[in-house]
Amino acid sequence: MTSQPSALLLVGSAKPAGESTSEVLGASLLQCLAEHGFTTETRHVARAMRTEARTKELLQAVDRATLIVLAFPLYVDSLPYLVTQALERIAEHRQAQPSPAPASFLAIANCGFPEPHHNRTALAICEHFAASAGFTWAGGLALGAGGAISGRSLDELGGMVHNIVAALDLAAAELAAGEPLREDALDLMARPILPTQAYMLMGDLGWLVQARRNRALTRLVARPFKPV
Amino acid sequence: MKATILNGALPGDSYVDAAAAALQDSLHAEGWAVTRWNLRDEKIAYCLGCFECWTKTPGLCRIDDAGHPVAASIIGSDLAIYLTPITFGGYSSELKKAVDRTICLISPFFTRIDGEVHHHARYNRYPALVGVGILPAANPPQEHTFQTLVSRNAINMHAPRHGSLVLYRSQEPADVAASLNHIFEFSGRVSQ
């Protein structure tokens, strides 16, 4: 263990840098960790997996960190393809080392469904990964209604996200103390941002507005593939 | 009856390839028309999370690559089989790159299924879903996660039936074929 703790944020969203909810959540946690004396570094998985040279840089960044934070959007009940590929490479890399450096692994999952429990399977996969790669599992934060954040900063969103801010503050303090996350941080993160019915209505209206903007309103229910 | 096999074998994994071939042969013998996709050989770009397949070109990803025929193959089948080495309890990256591109098969609009929020169906009919996971040896926690993942996918993809099966690499090919027969029994019920 180095004298100064270091946190590496892996942003698992494929969206451009600065535009994803995953990055907002991960960067907010990193900011809290910096206040607790962590050095911080951020890598975007989609960029890192584009070339072998960048993937090697990612692996070197993993080797330098004492805490890895993976923030990702839920894709079809689990982790996005590129994140899965990155975890395969990280596990292979650490398994090839006789004694990989001790480090902790924390995951932050966000989904477009209002209920945060949709993230459970993905977080279980993260926990299995941590064990396979020789990391200490620090815990998994699950956020529902990610569409309500939609890449905007937590400062901009104000009171609507006060539980998220509190959860990240608490998580940073626990991580700085070298402890895994306790239930209170997990519970705060999982609290609803909006009532479920309101979120569903806003979500559906949002799709209609986007489709209208794209002149696709009349084709929204299209079935381009021939079913059986 | 039509079946689609998505083979998520990673490069050099001859065991999973052999399982895919055995599965295809056995389905053929049962009278199924089978399309097998060896995904590592297919050019399928990663899902950008742009949602244009919902709001700009509804039902169709804007990336024109093998993701289109793979999605078409799935929705055009009675049975979809996800075959994969179990990776941390989930799917391999090779399988996941194809699965991520199937959200075009559902609608963006929300609905409730058993009290939980999901997306509406886009099509009138969806294939049954079977997950076949390969592990080096028994690993109950990862097997549980894999089975849960298949079940969750089945809900989100409106599969009328689903099932999962875990095989161990210590099993002989003949044992694997016998285990796969459970799927045939299952898929036989699908068509009834």
Side-chain angles (χ1 to χ4, degrees):
Chain A
M1 184 79 79
T2 56
S3 54
Q4 188 175 17
S6 54
L8 169 67
L9 169 63
L10 301 179
V11 178
S13 171
K15 289 183 175 162
E19 293 186 14
S20 73
T21 300
S22 299
E23 185 169 357
V24 165
L25 298 172
S28 299
L29 178 63
L30 240 58
Q31 195 178 336
C32 298
L33 288 168
E35 290 165 9
H36 285 278
F38 277 73
T39 62
T40 64
E41 181 177 357
T42 298
R43 301 267 165 172
H44 289 78
V45 172
R47 188 173 187 280
M49 298 309 289
R50 211 168 289 161
T51 67
E52 187 57 26
R54 286 179 186 167
T55 304
K56 284 183 176 159
E57 288 174 12
L58 173 77
L59 296 174
Q60 288 164 359
V62 168
D63 287 342
R64 286 193 295 272
T66 59
L67 169 67
I68 318 294
V69 177
L70 171 66
F72 65 94
L74 190 72
Y75 269 35
V76 199
D77 301 300
S78 57
L79 296 85
Y81 153 56
L82 286 177
V83 177
T84 305
Q85 193 182 45
L87 296 191
E88 287 170 353
R89 289 295 304 271
I90 292 168
E92 183 185 58
H93 174 69
R94 284 180 60 90
Q95 285 162 2
Q97 298 173 23
S99 52
S104 298
F105 185 83
L106 170 86
I108 308 174
N110 75 91
C111 68
F113 297 115
E115 308 102 330
H117 69 251
H118 286 272
N119 295 303
R120 269 187 211 144
T121 310
L123 291 174
I125 289 170
C126 290
E127 187 171 359
H128 294 312
F129 158 75
S132 298
F135 290 115
T136 300
W137 175 239
L141 292 160
L143 179 77
I149 295 178
S150 204
R152 288 173 292 174
S153 78
L154 299 183
D155 289 341
E156 184 187 334
L157 292 163
M160 185 174 85
V161 295
H162 72 277
N163 282 324
I164 299 174
V165 172
L168 295 174
D169 279 344
L170 199 53
E174 289 166 355
L175 292 165
E179 296 167 3
L181 299 195
R182 292 197 306 261
E183 285 298 317
D184 41 8
L186 308 183
D187 289 347
L188 276 169
M189 182 63 101
R191 286 189 190 170
I193 299 176
L194 293 169
T196 297
Q197 203 61 39
Y199 179 79
M200 289 172 74
L201 182 64
M202 285 174 61
D204 285 351
L205 284 173
W207 299 126
L208 289 168
V209 168
Q210 284 185 52
R212 187 168 184 272
R213 196 180 296 144
N214 293 329
R215 298 179 181 178
L217 206 50
T218 57
R219 294 179 283 116
L220 265 177
V221 294
R223 293 169 181 163
F225 302 130
K226 189 180 171 190
V228 175
Chain B
M1 293 180 294
K2 294 180 184 172
T4 290
I5 300 172
L6 299 188
N7 174 12
L10 296 171
D13 192 339
S14 57
Y15 187 95
V16 178
D17 283 341
L23 183 54
Q24 183 171 13
D25 290 345
S26 300
L27 282 167
H28 269 311
E30 296 283 325
W32 289 76
V34 184
T35 303
R36 174 163 60 131
W37 297 90
N38 295 319
L39 295 168
R40 68 175 181 277
D41 299 331
E42 300 296 335
K43 185 172 166 48
I44 300 176
Y46 61 89
C47 172
L48 297 165
C50 66
F51 299 121
E52 288 192 8
C53 64
W54 284 349
T55 64
K56 194 167 187 176
T57 53
L60 204 60
C61 178
R62 73 177 189 184
I63 305 168
D64 188 8
D65 61 10
H68 284 182
V70 169
S73 178
I74 291 170
I75 200 65
S77 292
D78 302 281
L79 173 65
I81 299 178
Y82 292 176
L83 176 65
T84 179
I86 294 181
T87 305
F88 319 125
Y91 303 151
S92 71
S93 55
E94 291 293 344
L95 176 58
K96 199 63 185 23
K97 75 179 179 187
V99 170
D100 285 353
R101 291 280 299 279
T102 62
I103 66 162
C104 60
L105 299 176
I106 56 174
S107 157
F109 296 110
F110 289 127
T111 186
R112 285 182 191 268
I113 299 174
D114 293 333
E116 223 179 36
V117 179
H118 293 275
H119 292 286
H120 268 288
R122 177 177 295 280
Y123 290 87
N124 289 331
R125 191 170 182 276
Y126 286 81
L129 176 63
V130 169
V132 181
I134 313 286
L135 275 172
N139 185 327
Q142 288 204 26
E143 290 173 35
H144 175 73
T145 300
F146 178 76
Q147 287 157 353
T148 305
L149 177 58
V150 174
S151 301
R152 299 298 293 172
N153 281 180
I155 299 169
N156 281 316
M157 296 309 288
H158 301 275
R161 289 179 184 274
H162 72 276
S164 55
L165 175 67
V166 176
L167 306 174
Y168 308 128
R169 289 178 193 270
S170 55
Q171 292 180 257
E172 292 297 319
D175 296 336
V176 170
S179 298
L180 292 174
N181 282 335
H182 293 298
I183 297 172
F184 301 149
E185 291 165 16
F186 164 84
S187 55
R189 290 200 303 273
V190 171
S191 60
Q192 288 171 2

